[in-house]
Amino acid sequence: MSTTLGSFIAGGIAACGAVTASHPFETVKIRLQLQGELQAKDVAVKKYRGVLHGVSVISQNEGIRGLYRGIGCAYVYQILLNGCRLGFYEPVRAFTTNLIFKDPNVQSLGVNVFTGASSGILGAMAGSPFFLVKTRLQSYSPFLPVGTQHRYKNALDGVKQIYQAGGLPTYFFAKRRLIKHAGMQDGPGLHLLSSACSGFVVCCVMHPPDTVMARLYNQNGNLYKGIFDCLYKTVSTEGVLALYKGFFAHLSRILPHTILTLTLAEQTNKMMRWVENKTLSESIKEKI
């Protein structure tokens, strides 16, 4: 690993590269999640019938701009989220491992999960306001609207209006298992397969809360009182499978996004280590 600052920068750069490729699928996913909100199946109108249909309809009616609505907020969100996740992961892991096992080099799945969750929470807290604006920008369509529509001119206008109105562990686990049991060597092939495994697990586990989060972020007024109210209303009105609306769009986004993020992160970390070794003294690197 490079220094904490170097890892933060490397993680942010990697995430921005990944989100550029995966953002259109995120836009489709958001609209699929909001489609038919609190409507029974027999009366809900399907304006977007799936991933490819969603991409096709949005690009035909709104152009590339429609598919990339909210990309500016997505960049800021990814820099904060993945910068924290990748930048703080190793320092927190080493500190926690040393505290428990008196040796920072010990590898523990429990510690890795705790560290990934902790660094992820820090990133999510920092990036949450930008995710809110991003979700609302992506949900807006002048042609085929779904859910509550927010007419923001851009990200800054969205932040302004909101203010005025209201005032990784599976990757490393998979990587170690592939090295140990499949005899794979550290390199691009291992990074690709490990990140693909991680992306699939994340998508399966996180999609239902992601659907709830998208609806909570996109609501206007008091449609939902909170997380459990949104969960109850969604399931009771639309059925359990409504929580998995947009799943394949999510998978289409998160697999390439995770693969690109984690694979690029390996390379950007190497780049940052090289830059730091060339430009920083040992005493400075220890302080960062």
Side-chain angles (χ1 to χ4, degrees), residues 23-34 48 50-56 58 66-67 138 246 249-250:
H23 191 78
F25 296 108
E26 171 77 358
T27 300
V28 175
K29 184 206 72 167
I30 291 291
R31 296 193 185 183
L32 286 170
Q33 288 174 319
L34 296 172
Y48 305 98
V51 184
L52 297 180
H53 180 257
V55 171
S56 175
I58 295 172
L67 290 171
Q138 288 178 297
H250 194 174

Side-chain angles (χ1 to χ4, degrees), residues 202-238:
V202 168
C203 190
C204 291
V205 174
M206 292 305 297
H207 192 79
D210 187 78
T211 299
V212 172
M213 180 175 64
R215 294 189 170 191
L216 284 170
Y217 275 156
N218 192 60
Q219 72 171 333
N220 195 12
N222 56 352
L223 185 62
Y224 307 110
K225 297 176 182 178
I227 295 172
F228 294 107
D229 184 53
C230 179
L231 182 65
Y232 172 76
K233 287 181 177 177
T234 298
V235 173
S236 62
T237 306
E238 305 170 53

